[in-house]
Amino acid sequence: MEKNKSLPLIFITSIVIFFSFFGCETKKVAEVNIGYIGPLTVRATDLGIAPSNAMQLAVEEYNSNRLNSEPKVNLYIEDDKWDKNNAIPAYNKLRKEHDISILFISNTDGTVSVQDNVLEDKVILVNPLNNGNVFNLLNKNVFNIAKSTEETNGLVAVRIIELGLKKVAVLQFPNDYMTSATQEVKRLLDIAKIEINIIPVKAGQTSFTDQLTLLKDENYDAYVFFGYKEFGFAMKEARAMGITAPFFGSTVLLDPEFYSNSEGAIIGTEFPFFTQADGNYTRAAEFLTNYENRFAEKPSSVWPPMQAYDAMNIVLSKLRTINETKDENTAFDDWLREALYEVNYYQGICGNIAISKKGASKGIYFSLYKFGSKEKPLTQITR
């Protein structure tokens, strides 16, 4: 009789073990959906098309060699036309149609616009192109795995000081990134007691004759163009007016339309930039070869896809471990946030990257280049 009475207990115990085991299996994360918002049309397309390709390449490489215990990753892409007003609609579409839990976005203004939405939805946001003081004010779910806006564009001010130039005009596009770049140049030039005049322009402006005429009359000995392809027209107009002072620019000068709009006046412009020589040359060269093989073209500007590739791979490296390290009671964004805080000395193609508790990366350092020619635009400046 005692033996028979024990059978129900054995049966119940077996059932509990069975469901406990298979219950844990069903809670494994099988797929993770990631969204990307960037400029695929209108303006600054070199900051959207190549980065989206690079991230797609990283995801394809991950999916092709992931273990069965590691989640599949899907990437969905939306075009914001480099306009902050498109960020929230694009984000809402990605959430509604694809239920993304991670968002990558290139535009600094768009990052600021969507930050409250991602926090409310428990989504982790990564800007893979920009990183600067403006991000220090954003919430805990925002990460910027990229170059430093201030450190990078400050190279322009350092160069102006080195050349002994004393009167500087800055034409500035109206967005957060170019504003931050301009303010850092102003800060450094103010310390050096160099006169600076900041001229805001309108988005989409293609004629700058009125501003340039006034600047020419005041004999400025340096012109800084902190903006996008439309400033090619400004360069052409300036040279046509007889302005011979040296030109300086930002990190986006290799947009092919910048050159065509300038009709060659861009040649000689000095600007901060990043190539495989500034990072891990061997790994970067391999990436660029794989990129060309996959997409049948070279990126016109290499740093945006290089940074995007590193940023995506950092996130993917953490997703590989999710089924081993994430507790079922921990929210996805809490888990990934803490995992990204642990990134230290990640050996990417752009350098050795670390992420601080503010969500900002360090380890990507730009150099100063000169626009040489249409065929060979990059010449590194020896200083």
Side-chain angles (χ1 to χ4, degrees):
M1 293 294 292
E2 289 298 319
K3 185 176 181 181
N4 290 337
K5 286 181 180 179
S6 66
L7 286 175
L9 179 60
I10 294 172
F11 178 76
I12 293 171
T13 303
S14 299
I15 292 295
V16 170
I17 293 173
F18 176 85
F19 281 106
S20 295
F21 176 77
F22 286 100
C24 289
E25 287 298 304
T26 58
K27 291 179 182 177
K28 294 286 186 182
V29 177
E31 284 190 286
V32 176
N33 291 338
I34 300 177
Y36 171 62
I37 300 173
L40 307 181
T41 60
V42 181
R43 177 182 295 110
T45 54
D46 58 320
L47 303 182
I49 296 174
S52 68
N53 287 344
M55 288 188 285
Q56 184 62 51
L57 179 61
V59 169
E60 290 173 359
E61 291 170 345
Y62 166 87
N63 282 330
S64 68
N65 62 34
R66 69 183 177 87
L67 301 177
N68 290 334
S69 60
E70 297 169 347
K72 179 184 176 183
V73 172
N74 304 305
L75 177 65
Y76 302 98
I77 300 167
E78 290 293 325
D79 180 14
D80 67 357
K81 300 178 175 61
W82 206 241
D83 184 340
K84 67 178 182 179
N85 296 316
N86 295 326
I88 291 179
Y91 169 73
N92 289 337
K93 182 179 179 183
L94 288 167
R95 283 286 293 170
K96 180 179 179 180
E97 296 184 4
H98 305 294
D99 193 27
I100 63 167
S101 51
I102 303 170
L103 175 69
F104 283 74
I105 183 169
S106 294
N107 190 299
T108 300
D109 291 17
T111 303
V112 174
S113 296
V114 82
Q115 65 154 332
D116 291 337
N117 301 69
V118 299
L119 184 64
E120 181 179 354
D121 295 337
K122 296 186 178 297
V123 169
I124 290 294
L125 185 155
V126 178
N127 188 313
L129 298 190
N130 298 322
N131 171 14
N133 293 337
V134 66
F135 292 102
N136 292 337
L137 304 175
L138 305 187
N139 66 56
K140 63 182 180 180
N141 277 21
V142 178
F143 287 80
N144 27 88
I145 306 174
K147 67 183 184 306
S148 163
T149 299
E150 288 77 18
E151 184 177 80
T152 296
N153 292 285
L155 291 173
V156 171
V158 172
R159 182 60 171 167
I160 288 170
I161 295 167
E162 287 178 349
L163 294 174
L165 304 173
K166 297 299 182 184
K167 194 173 182 180
V168 180
V170 180
L171 278 71
Q172 180 209 301
F173 184 86
N175 68 2
D176 281 344
Y177 177 80
M178 294 301 175
T179 299
S180 295
T182 299
Q183 290 305 313
E184 178 63 10
V185 168
K186 182 180 186 303
R187 184 184 73 82
L188 294 174
L189 294 186
D190 284 348
I191 292 172
K193 301 189 184 308
I194 294 174
E195 181 180 345
I196 178 172
N197 183 8
I198 300 169
I199 303 96
V201 304
K202 297 178 181 178
Q205 184 175 337
T206 58
S207 177
F208 304 85
T209 303
D210 292 342
Q211 292 104 321
L212 291 171
T213 298
L214 294 174
L215 295 172
K216 181 185 178 183
D217 291 342
E218 296 180 16
N219 295 315
Y220 283 86
D221 56 6
Y223 286 75
V224 179
F225 298 92
F226 276 166
Y228 304 94
K229 62 183 181 180
E230 294 88 349
F231 278 178
F233 295 118
M235 292 178 173
K236 178 182 69 174
E237 290 174 346
R239 293 302 189 221
M241 293 168 57
I243 294 174
T244 60
F247 287 170
F248 301 87
S250 70
T251 57
V252 297
L253 258 66
L254 289 200
D255 179 341
E257 291 190 59
F258 215 130
Y259 178 90
S260 60
N261 289 345
S262 79
E263 295 185 12
I266 195 174
I267 291 174
T269 302
E270 297 186 12
F271 60 106
F273 202 72
F274 188 95
T275 70
Q276 55 265 48
D278 296 300
N280 185 319
Y281 183 86
T282 301
R283 296 193 63 201
E286 180 183 3
F287 158 72
L288 292 171
T289 297
N290 292 339
Y291 181 102
E292 185 175 1
N293 290 339
R294 171 65 177 81
F295 301 105
E297 64 179 6
K298 297 179 180 179
S300 59
S301 182
V302 297
W303 71 262
M306 286 174 64
Q307 285 193 177
Y309 185 76
D310 271 351
M312 177 60 78
N313 274 317
I314 286 173
V315 171
L316 293 175
S317 71
K318 297 304 178 182
L319 291 180
R320 283 190 185 278
T321 71
I322 188 170
N323 289 319
E324 299 174 358
T325 60
K326 181 183 172 301
D327 184 277
E328 65 180 41
N329 296 318
T330 302
F332 177 86
D333 63 326
D334 292 335
W335 169 81
L336 183 53
R337 186 190 317 112
E338 294 302 317
L340 291 175
Y341 287 156
E342 294 174 0
V343 173
N344 186 33
Y345 208 78
Y346 175 87
Q347 296 183 40
I349 60 175
C350 292
N352 298 318
I353 300 170
I355 298 178
S356 74
K357 292 295 183 180
K358 292 183 178 180
S361 70
K362 61 179 180 180
I364 302 174
Y365 305 110
F366 275 48
S367 300
L368 202 63
Y369 286 82
K370 177 182 289 188
F371 198 108
S373 66
K374 182 178 181 181
E375 295 73 24
K376 190 178 179 181
L378 289 174
T379 301
Q380 189 166 8
I381 294 174
T382 302
R383 300 160 59 202

